[in-house]
Amino acid sequence: MPDRQQGADRRTIAAGVLAMVLLSGNFVASRHGLAAGLAVADLVLLRTSFAGLVLGGVLWRVGLGGLPTGRAAVLTLLAGAPYFLLCAAAVQFAPATHASILNPGGTMLFAPLLGWWVLRQAPEIGVRVGLFILTAGLLLIGGASLAEGGSRAWVGDLMLIFSGLIWALYGVLMRHWKVPGARAAAVVGTASLLWVPVHLGVFGLGGLPDHPREAVIQAAYQGIISGGVAVLLYSRAVALLGPARGALLPPLVPALGVFWAWLLLGEAVTATQVAGMALVIIGMLCGALWRGKTVRRRTDPVREAALISPYATYGDAADASPAAALPRHRRLLPGLRRGHGDRHGNGA
C-alpha cells in the first residue's frame, strides 16, 4: 500500500508539473499568433469556442452545484472572454517575457490585499514579506520598460498588471463563494461561448481563413490543451496534493514562460529585467511557502486565493473540500463524476 500511494503521489505531482508546462506557454502562443497575422479578436474567438466546448462537457457532468446565475456571470466577466481579450491585447505592446512575469506577479500582489478586504483575514508574515519583494521586482521590470525610449512596452505592462488584479479578484470571489475550481472553470468556459455568435456577427471569421495553419495551432493549444486539459490537470492535482504542496506549482509558470519566450520567440531580456523577474519569482515562493511558527489545520483563505493559477479557472483548496476525506483511489477525478447530489446542487 505505501508503494501504491507513493506511486499515486508521483503521478499527481507529474500531472501538476505538466499542467504548469502547458499553461506557461499562453502568452508565447498569443504573441506567436499575432506575429503570424492573426488579430486579437481572432485569438479570443479560438480560445472561447474550443475551450468552451471542452469545458461545456465538464459542466454537463458536474452541474452548476447551486451557483446563482448572477455569481456565475460575475466570474465569467472576470475570467472569461474579457480577461483573455485583455491579456491578448497586452502582448501587442509588451513582450511575452514581461507577460509571463507581470500577470502572475500582479495576481500574487493583489490577491492578499483583496483577500484581506473580502475574506476579513490579514495575510501571514510570508505573504507580507513576499509583497515587498514582488513590488520591487515589478518596479524593476516596469522601470526597464519606461527606460526604453520610444517603446510602448509600458502600456502592455500596465495592462498585464491590471489583468493580474482582475484575476486576483476572481480568485478571491471564487474562494469567498466556495465555488470548486473545476466547476468554476466549467461555468466560465461554457458561458464564454456566448461571445462566439457576437464575434461572428460583428467581425465574421476575421483573419482565420487567411492563416489556417496558425488558426489550427492556436485552436489546439489555446482552446483544447491550455484552456481545457491543463485546467483540469491543475485543478485535480492541487486538490489531491493540498494547498501546501500545491503552492510549489504556480511559481513554475513565470520561469517556464520566460524560457519559452526566449526559446521559441527569441526574446531577449536585460540584466535589470532578469533581476526583476527573479525577485517576482522569489516573492511568489516566499508568499506561498513561508508559514508562521504555528501550523494551523485550516489553510489561510488569503493564501489559498493567492495561489490560484493566473491562467485559467483552476481553483485549489475549494476543490479539496468534501472529497478530500475519501480514499485516494476514489478521489482521482471527484469533480468529474456524475452524481445525483452534484447534478442537483448538493454535491461537492
Side-chain angles (χ1 to χ4, degrees), residues 26 38 41-59 80-81 84 185-186 188-197 199-200 205 208-209 211-232:
N26 270 302
L38 295 180
D42 298 331
L43 297 177
V44 177
L45 174 63
L46 293 171
R47 172 73 175 216
T48 53
S49 56
F50 285 89
L53 291 174
V54 173
L55 295 173
V58 177
L59 183 63
F84 188 74
V188 170
T190 306
S192 293
L193 285 172
L194 296 174
W195 169 253
V196 175
H199 175 100
L200 294 177
L205 291 176
L208 300 183
H211 307 281
R213 181 176 179 274
E214 186 65 25
V216 170
I217 293 173
Q218 294 294 328
Y221 176 74
Q222 299 276 21
I224 298 174
I225 297 175
S226 174
V229 175
V231 170
L232 302 176

Side-chain angles (χ1 to χ4, degrees), residues 43 62 81 83 105-106 125 141 144 265 321 336 341:
L43 297 177
V62 303
Y83 172 80
I125 180 63
I141 297 172
L265 302 179
S321 45
L336 302 184

Side-chain angles (χ1 to χ4, degrees), residues 39-299:
V40 169
D42 298 331
L43 297 177
V44 177
L45 174 63
L46 293 171
R47 172 73 175 216
T48 53
S49 56
F50 285 89
L53 291 174
V54 173
L55 295 173
V58 177
L59 183 63
W60 181 80
R61 286 181 172 272
V62 303
L64 285 173
L67 180 65
T69 304
R71 293 182 178 182
V74 171
L75 294 177
T76 301
L77 288 174
L78 291 174
Y83 172 80
F84 188 74
L85 174 64
L86 177 63
C87 292
V91 294
Q92 290 187 117
F93 305 100
T97 50
H98 289 207
S100 299
I101 296 293
L102 295 177
N103 174 272
T107 299
M108 293 293 290
L109 176 65
F110 292 114
L113 302 177
L114 290 172
W116 195 351
W117 177 41
V118 176
L119 303 176
R120 303 298 183 186
Q121 183 164 352
E124 294 179 348
I125 180 63
V127 176
R128 297 182 189 183
V129 174
L131 286 177
F132 286 103
I133 300 174
L134 267 170
T135 303
L138 295 176
L139 288 175
L140 276 178
I141 297 172
S145 298
L146 290 174
E148 298 172 2
S151 171
R152 294 190 298 170
W154 63 272
V155 177
D157 289 351
L158 290 178
M159 295 171 69
L160 290 164
I161 294 175
F162 182 64
S163 72
L165 170 62
I166 292 176
W167 196 263
L169 179 59
Y170 161 77
V172 169
L173 289 179
M174 193 180 81
R175 174 63 187 170
H176 183 57
W177 292 335
K178 298 180 174 61
V179 184
R183 175 170 290 127
V187 168
V188 170
T190 306
S192 293
L193 285 172
L194 296 174
W195 169 253
V196 175
V198 175
H199 175 100
L200 294 177
V202 176
F203 302 105
L205 291 176
L208 300 183
D210 298 328
H211 307 281
R213 181 176 179 274
E214 186 65 25
V216 170
I217 293 173
Q218 294 294 328
Y221 176 74
Q222 299 276 21
I224 298 174
I225 297 175
S226 174
V229 175
V231 170
L232 302 176
L233 277 177
Y234 177 73
S235 180
R236 302 309 340 141
V238 177
L240 294 178
L241 289 172
R245 288 197 295 171
L248 292 169
L249 296 175
L252 294 174
V253 171
L256 289 170
V258 172
F259 172 74
W260 296 131
W262 167 78
L263 180 67
L264 301 177
L265 302 179
E267 292 186 1
V269 292
T270 65
T272 302
Q273 290 170 339
V274 170
M277 293 171 185
L279 286 177
V280 169
I281 295 173
I282 292 171
M284 292 178 69
L285 286 170
C286 182
L289 303 179
W290 184 0
R291 299 177 180 273
K293 294 181 179 179
T294 59
V295 179
R296 293 170 294 182
R297 292 179 63 87
R298 294 182 60 84
T299 308

